[in-house]
Structure formats: structure tokens, C-alpha cells
Amino acid sequence: MTQTIAQKFTYGCACAVLATAVSAIPALSQMYPMQALPDDGERDFWWYHQVVDADVLAAMQDAVGAPGAPFTGSLEKPIQIAVIYPSQDVSDAWLRAYLAMEARLKEMNIPFEAVQFASGMDNHDLQTTYTDQVLQDAEFYDYVVFGPTELGLQADNVKRLIDSPDLKVIVLNHDQVPQIWGDEQPLAFAGFSHLAGALIMCNYVIENVGTEGQVAMNRGTPGSVDNQRSGGFAECLEAESDWEVVYEHYGNFQREGGFDGTNLILTGYPEVDMIHNANTAMGMGSLSAAEALGVLDDVFITAWGGTGEELEALRDGLLDATPMRMGDDFGVSIAEIIKADLEGRPEDIPLVFLGRITIAYKGLSGEEIDALEREAFRYTGIGTLER
């Protein structure tokens, strides 16, 4: 039912972007690119498939999708984990990542203690403060799980943590590996491919909505996440169909940004056929604006991630479609990466782990949405989390 991101997704000239890794790649996955591309000098990052052995990624995906195997090592004391992440965002994906990590570590009998440093998606300075706090107590922690508000804005903080001899870092929600870090990379990046989700959504629109029309976009914060989620979606539509992007609004991944952007879109472009939203919060704000204007049934509205709030909107017939992550893959992968490290199996850790994505859409029955939800949230439970 779900699709693994080790598959090959192509459109136009971007076929190299999401191709699977080539064979005969060396086992050491934490060094320089194993597969050079002609445009490497035009980017400041490496695509995941350049630095990840496809077999190692597939094996970790299999491990994440299966029940947790018991930890085979021994520990003198519980491992200490600092979690810096924007869990105060409207989306419950961040909190689910933590809860799934916690549940999986317990399932595998790995004793641990974790401290959460929560922020919002726009609290960039607060994440710097948290970084300072963790570095001051670096000898206390073994692992730092860092979900940047935006990797470009938090790159210096992530690198400071990587450079600490006491810490091993897992970066969440990013699959682009900064070239400037060379072989001084984190233990792993873990999350879902924003670009793959964009291409899957693009293919769904072309096949099920149509091959032409006008689309407007509520984009997030300028940076790598939105470049893939929004930019990749727009480029795919323009390359593979006759859809025209008529307006772009930056809503900073906030509900108000989606609401205000949709009001601007529907006022200035009342003939628009589709509104793309780059996350849950903006998607929910967009739905509220369209409903208030009485045009909810006239515009195809998307969100991003398949979070609990989005699935409720699908069941209620409000939201039209969303790239749905098998959400608990996110947190489970953190636990599996830590386990492999503790067991001395660095060769089993892909530098970039990618979870599975499928499309959830309004035409699904309640039973089909329930089945997707059970699979996605097998550790963290069904429905929007209470916070």
C-alpha cells in the first residue's frame, strides 16, 4: 500500500535527483560522495542517493517496518538523549517522532533517558539557545536528535554539535547532505524525502485531477524543505503538464500564513483551480479561508504529511489530498540508528534514512484511511495527539 523512497521517481530533467543509488558502492557510507554528478559544483549539498548504498537503506527500511529485535549489547547505564525539535508546531509529526523513538527503544530493551527541548517552527534563536545548553552539558549526553527549524538557518548549530567529541548527532527531516561538512557529517539524517513526496503528489494530480489548470502555492520558509516540497512540485507540474503557477505566498509554515495566503489567492485569482500548501498548519489555515469564502468545493486543496488533523479533514470531506508519510517510520528509524551504533554496526547505518510516503485523498473510504493510519501510527496511536 505504501511506497518506499528507494524507488526511482523521475520527471523531465530531474531524473538524477531521485534515482536509486548505483551498485558496487563501497560500504563506508559516512565519507565523501560515492557517486559524483555533473552539477555537484552548482549545489551546496549532495543528494541522498550519492552518499547512500541502496542496499543499506533498504535493509534499514526493512528493519524499521518490522517489529523491533532485542538489543544484543550491554550498557552500564541508560543512554542519554537530547532532543531539540519544533514540537510546538501545529503538526503532531514531531511529537510522534519522539514517542515512536521512545516506544521502539523500550521494545528493544535499550535503557535511555531523554530531555526534550521544544520550540516552534519559527523559533530559530531558541534552537540556538538549546544548542548552547546541550554543549554546556555535552559530557552528560550521548546522542543529540536535532530537528532544525530550517537546516540552512541551523547549520552552524548542527555543526557545533557534530564537532563535539562527546556527542553523536541525528538530524531530522532533511535528506540533503551539506557538502561543506565534507566527511564530518552527523551519525545520520532521518526523515522523509520532501522532493519524493512532491513528485508523488505531482503524479497524483496529473493522473487524477487533470493535466492543465491554474495552481497557487502557500510556501513555507525559504530554504531546503520548501524548495523541495513546493519548488519540486511546481517544477514537476510545469515540466510534465500544462498547469500554470499563478501566485506564490510565503506563509512561514504557520496556520495564519495559510489562511492569509489563501485569502490573497482567492481574491486576486478567483479562477484558481488548486492551492498547494507545504505543511499541515498552512493546509488547515487554507481550508478555513476557503470555507469562510464559500468556495471549498470549487478549489482542490492539498496539505503535507498525512498528520492526524489532515486525516480528520479527509474524513470530513474538506481536504482533497496529501502526501502521507508512514509517520512512525520517523521515530523508529532514530531508535534503530542508535541501536546499530550501540551494537557497533556503523556499516548498517545509511547516512540518510528515508521513510515511506503514499497519497491519501478524499476518495478513500473511511476504512482505507483507517488502514493507512494504523500502519503509519503503529506506535503512537490513531487520531490527533493531545498536547
Side-chain angles (χ1 to χ4, degrees):
M1 181 178 292
T2 57
Q3 301 174 3
T4 62
I5 308 307
Q7 288 178 276
K8 182 176 182 179
F9 295 93
T10 62
Y11 72 95
C13 62
C15 56
V17 171
L18 286 167
T20 54
V22 296
S23 59
I25 292 177
L28 192 60
S29 63
Q30 303 279 31
M31 291 294 164
Y32 293 99
M34 303 172 213
Q35 179 187 353
L37 294 176
D39 64 341
D40 280 347
E42 301 172 13
R43 288 178 279 105
D44 60 2
F45 63 89
W46 295 309
W47 296 107
Y48 85 89
H49 60 85
Q50 295 182 261
V51 293
V52 171
D53 185 317
D55 291 337
V56 174
L57 174 56
M60 182 61 79
Q61 287 175 327
D62 288 344
V64 166
F71 175 53
T72 61
S74 61
L75 297 171
E76 295 182 358
K77 60 180 181 178
I79 60 171
Q80 303 295 322
I81 307 171
V83 183
I84 302 173
Y85 65 155
S87 60
Q88 294 174 350
D89 182 38
V90 171
S91 169
D92 60 10
W94 294 103
L95 181 56
R96 285 186 185 276
Y98 177 85
L99 295 175
M101 176 197 75
E102 182 181 58
R104 185 69 162 210
L105 288 171
K106 290 178 180 178
E107 181 182 16
M108 297 187 300
N109 299 319
I110 298 177
F112 73 97
E113 295 174 355
V115 179
Q116 299 182 64
F117 296 87
S119 68
M121 283 298 295
D122 57 347
N123 295 146
H124 310 301
D125 292 341
L126 184 56
Q127 288 204 333
T128 297
T129 300
Y130 289 154
T131 300
D132 293 338
Q133 292 178 13
V134 170
L135 286 171
Q136 288 173 6
D137 298 324
E139 294 182 1
F140 175 76
Y141 294 108
D142 301 297
Y143 298 92
V144 180
V145 178
F146 198 118
T149 50
E150 164 52 46
L151 185 57
L153 295 174
Q154 298 298 332
D156 289 345
N157 289 327
V158 175
K159 189 59 167 63
R160 288 198 293 147
L161 293 166
I162 292 172
D163 289 343
S164 172
D166 299 304
L167 302 172
K168 294 185 178 181
V169 181
I170 300 172
V171 178
L172 301 186
N173 206 37
H174 289 273
D175 63 348
Q176 294 179 338
V177 178
Q179 293 183 12
I180 195 171
W181 294 349
D183 63 352
E184 297 176 352
Q185 297 292 338
L187 178 62
F189 296 81
F192 299 87
S193 173
H194 307 290
L195 184 53
L199 301 188
I200 294 168
M201 189 74 239
C202 170
N203 291 337
Y204 175 83
V205 168
I206 293 171
E207 293 175 4
N208 296 277
V209 182
T211 59
E212 61 182 3
Q214 294 188 347
V215 56
M217 311 185 78
N218 283 318
R219 304 188 64 155
T221 300
S224 62
V225 172
D226 185 70
N227 286 345
Q228 295 174 79
R229 290 186 179 187
S230 301
F233 181 67
E235 290 174 17
C236 174
L237 284 178
E238 291 174 338
E240 296 297 320
S241 71
D242 292 321
W243 282 90
E244 177 189 6
V245 178
V246 296
Y247 185 77
E248 298 182 8
H249 171 80
Y250 280 95
N252 295 317
F253 293 120
Q254 301 298 310
R255 186 185 294 264
E256 294 79 6
F259 184 88
D260 293 342
T262 298
N263 274 321
L264 290 171
I265 290 165
L266 294 175
T267 300
Y269 300 89
E271 71 280 6
V272 75
D273 301 291
M274 176 169 56
I275 298 176
H276 155 91
N277 294 283
N279 76 334
T280 297
M282 292 193 301
M284 296 304 102
S286 184
L287 289 177
S288 296
E291 189 170 27
L293 292 171
V295 298
L296 193 57
D297 293 333
D298 302 323
V299 184
F300 190 89
I301 297 179
T302 71
W304 190 278
T307 59
E309 195 167 5
E310 291 179 27
L311 296 183
E312 286 303 312
L314 283 173
R315 290 189 181 94
D316 292 340
L318 304 176
L319 185 66
D320 288 289
T322 183
M324 181 178 179
R325 301 168 292 203
M326 295 296 101
D328 285 358
D329 284 8
F330 200 8
V332 172
S333 70
I334 302 168
E336 287 289 342
I337 289 165
I338 290 173
K339 180 189 174 202
D341 182 63
L342 292 173
E343 292 180 345
R345 297 184 287 109
E347 70 279 2
D348 292 337
I349 302 175
L351 179 55
V352 182
F353 173 84
L354 302 175
R356 299 164 292 162
I357 299 177
T358 192
I359 297 296
Y361 55 95
K362 186 186 290 187
L364 291 174
S365 68
E367 291 76 13
E368 289 171 321
I369 294 175
D370 290 347
L372 279 175
E373 194 171 27
R374 284 193 298 271
E375 181 178 359
F377 306 132
R378 57 197 183 277
Y379 284 95
T380 58
I382 304 301
T384 304
L385 294 181
E386 296 294 331
R387 290 182 286 173

